[in-house]
Amino acid sequence: MSGSARERELALIQAAGSTQSAVILTAIWEAVIYTVTAAILGTAATVIGGVIIAAKLGLSFPVISFSTLALIAAGGFILILAATVAPTIAALRREITRTLAGE
């Protein structure tokens, strides 16, 4: 979603009566959903890819470090959180009427 469309969406949500804290909490949950989805897909791709490569090379089942995967997912969560919450906070600082009138 483009920045201006996101700002307009947030302004409409606020105009409908939502509080700023509810909007920020929604952005945080959005980051959680993105992170969990990426972690599941990334783990599946890693496991499946490791098994296929090991089978083709005649190796034993690869050892997968889930603690490393969790660390990568945590780093990804921090980045995604910053990428979703920071623009949300910036958009909430603008006046609702100016954002909605900017079409």
Side-chain angles (χ1 to χ4, degrees):
M1 181 178 293
S2 71
S4 60
R6 180 70 169 206
E7 286 178 1
R8 180 166 166 68
E9 174 189 340
L10 295 176
L12 285 171
I13 291 171
Q14 280 188 290
S18 182
T19 63
Q20 287 188 353
S21 60
V23 173
I24 292 171
L25 188 60
T26 302
I28 292 170
W29 277 108
E30 183 179 346
V32 169
I33 291 168
Y34 288 152
T35 303
V36 169
T37 303
I40 290 170
L41 294 175
T43 301
T46 301
V47 170
I48 292 169
V51 169
I52 291 172
I53 291 171
K56 292 293 182 183
L57 295 176
L59 302 173
S60 62
F61 186 79
V63 176
I64 297 168
S65 172
F66 288 102
S67 61
T68 302
L69 291 173
L71 183 63
I72 292 169
F77 174 68
I78 291 169
L79 293 173
I80 292 171
L81 188 66
T84 56
V85 173
T88 300
I89 292 172
L92 291 175
R93 291 184 180 168
R94 294 189 64 196
E95 288 185 33
I96 297 171
T97 53
R98 282 194 175 155
T99 303
L100 294 177
E103 288 188 357

